[in-house]
């Protein structure tokens, strides 16, 4: 399966449109999962971007801390089974935290989790994940997108789920880490897959604005950068539910 990191704004959507068809041909993944939490102008997602990502061939969309930024997505999260928000949000918040999608006679269980450190989660991810896994227990393959700020939470989750799921992939920091590997129990793991967006910005947003905010301590409207867009993700191979290989995908767009 192919997992693609946070699509950021127009540049991210453009590089996804440009590179995903060729990647699908080259790697022939059974499943494509895309994190779309920054697809709408860098923050959140609306039905328009979600529909586009699904149309491009994503079997499922995962989200994160910007899930509810746009009201239009709230009912969509209830209606569209292929999009998930973190499972460990409050039960009163719209949407589901797990889904099972089917392609080519195989099923993939997708679980989205949020870190609890420096992010607003309803319950601790390493506790909530037990119930989440029950919802996808019958799927052939299981992918967990752990959307978290700190590396320790993601590493701990990887070890906790080793042997239980096919892959634990980290998102949210938008910076890819160099620790992709298959853990001894057969779970593919990476602390952060990175983003699909402009590398010429600060985690996808215009660098001039980020620098100005950090130099003045005054608020400013952030806009997504268009400079040097890349697609970042991981390609995971598996035999049965066990992962056999994880390969980082880091490609520049035009
Ligand atoms: Fe993000
Ligand atoms: Fe995030």
């Amino acid at each position: 399966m192919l997992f693609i990191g946070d699509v950021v704004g127009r540049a991210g959507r453009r590089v996804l449109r440009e590179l995903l068809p060729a990647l699908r041909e080259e790697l022939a993944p059974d499943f494509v999962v895309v994190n779309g939490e920054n697809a709408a102008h860098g923050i959140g997602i609306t039905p328009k971007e979600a529909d586009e990502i699904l149309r491009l061939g994503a079997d499922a969309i995962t989200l994160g801390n910007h899930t509810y930024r746009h009201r239009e997505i709230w009912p969509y999260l209830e209606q569209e089974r292929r999009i998930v928000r973190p499972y460990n949000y409050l039960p009163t918040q719209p949407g589901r935290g797990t889904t099972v999608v089917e392609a080519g006679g195989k099923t993939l269980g997708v679980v989205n989790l949020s870190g609890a450190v420096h992010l607003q989660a309803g319950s601790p991810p390493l506790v909530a994940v037990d119930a989440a896994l029950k919802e996808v227990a019958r799927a052939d393959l299981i992918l967990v997108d752990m959307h978290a700020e700190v590396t320790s939470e993601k590493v701990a989750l990887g070890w906790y789920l080793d042997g239980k799921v096919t892959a634990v992939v980290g998102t949210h920091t938008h910076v890819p880490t160099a620790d992709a590997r298959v853990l001894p129990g057969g779970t593919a793991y990476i602390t952060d897959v990175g983003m699909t967006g402009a590398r010429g910005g600060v985690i996808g947003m215009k660098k001039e604005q980020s620098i100005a905010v950090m130099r003045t301590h005054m608020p400013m409207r952030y806009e997504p950068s268009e400079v040097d867009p890349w697609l970042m993700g991981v390609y995971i191979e598996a035999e049965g539910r066990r992962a056999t290989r994880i390969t980082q995908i880091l490609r520049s767009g035009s």
Side-chain angles (χ1 to χ4, degrees), residues 190-202:
I190 186 167
T191 298
D192 208 296
V193 305
M195 67 170 174
T196 296
R199 215 180 49 159
V202 174

Side-chain angles (χ1 to χ4, degrees), residues 6 37-38 64-66 119 147 171-174:
D6 308 25
E37 73 137 6
N38 307 102
N65 51 304
H66 297 304
L119 288 174
H147 196 81
T171 57
H172 176 68
T173 73
H174 292 195

Side-chain angles (χ1 to χ4, degrees), residues 215-238:
R215 283 180 51 82
T216 62
H217 292 188
M218 294 304 286
M220 192 181 276
R221 222 186 141 73
Y222 283 105
E223 284 157 349
S225 170
E226 305 264 332
V227 181
D228 189 20
W230 280 54
L231 181 149
M232 302 181 189
V234 284
Y235 178 59
I236 295 151
E237 293 161 82

Side-chain angles (χ1 to χ4, degrees), residues 4 6 22 44 46 50 54 81 86-87 90 110 126 128 134 182-183 188 208 223 247-248 254:
I4 295 173
D6 308 25
T46 74
L54 292 170
R81 289 205 63 84
Y87 181 85
L90 296 172
V110 179
L126 274 84
K134 286 194 185 121
V182 177
L183 299 174
E208 296 79 8
E223 284 157 349
T247 311
Q248 243 171 330
S254 55

Side-chain angles (χ1 to χ4, degrees), residues 52-194:
E52 185 188 6
I53 292 170
L54 292 170
R55 237 185 358 254
L56 284 171
D59 298 286
I61 298 172
T62 55
L63 295 169
N65 51 304
H66 297 304
T67 295
Y68 301 113
R69 181 66 174 233
H70 303 284
R71 265 177 181 275
E72 310 94 279
I73 202 71
W74 300 1
Y76 188 96
L77 294 175
E78 301 284 346
Q79 291 148 18
E80 173 55 73
R81 289 205 63 84
R82 292 173 292 175
I83 188 165
V84 289
R85 50 77 160 165
Y87 181 85
N88 56 328
Y89 279 179
L90 296 172
T92 49
Q93 291 178 282
R96 72 199 87 236
T98 70
T99 192
V100 177
V101 292
E102 197 263 330
K106 292 194 191 92
T107 54
L108 169 69
V110 179
V111 175
N112 198 184
L113 288 172
S114 168
V117 181
H118 304 314
L119 288 174
Q120 193 172 52
S123 62
L126 274 84
V127 177
V129 70
D130 291 351
L133 289 185
K134 286 194 185 121
E135 294 186 0
V136 298
R138 298 236 291 271
D140 299 318
L141 302 164
I142 300 173
L143 172 100
V144 178
D145 173 357
M146 171 63 155
H147 196 81
E149 194 82 67
V150 299
T151 51
S152 57
E153 260 190 315
K154 303 194 214 186
V155 174
L157 184 77
W159 284 122
Y160 179 59
L161 296 183
D162 184 25
K164 299 190 181 105
V165 303
T166 313
V168 175
V169 294
T171 57
H172 176 68
T173 73
H174 292 195
V175 178
T177 54
D179 61 341
R181 61 172 162 156
V182 177
L183 299 174
T187 295
Y189 176 81
I190 186 167
T191 298
D192 208 296
V193 305

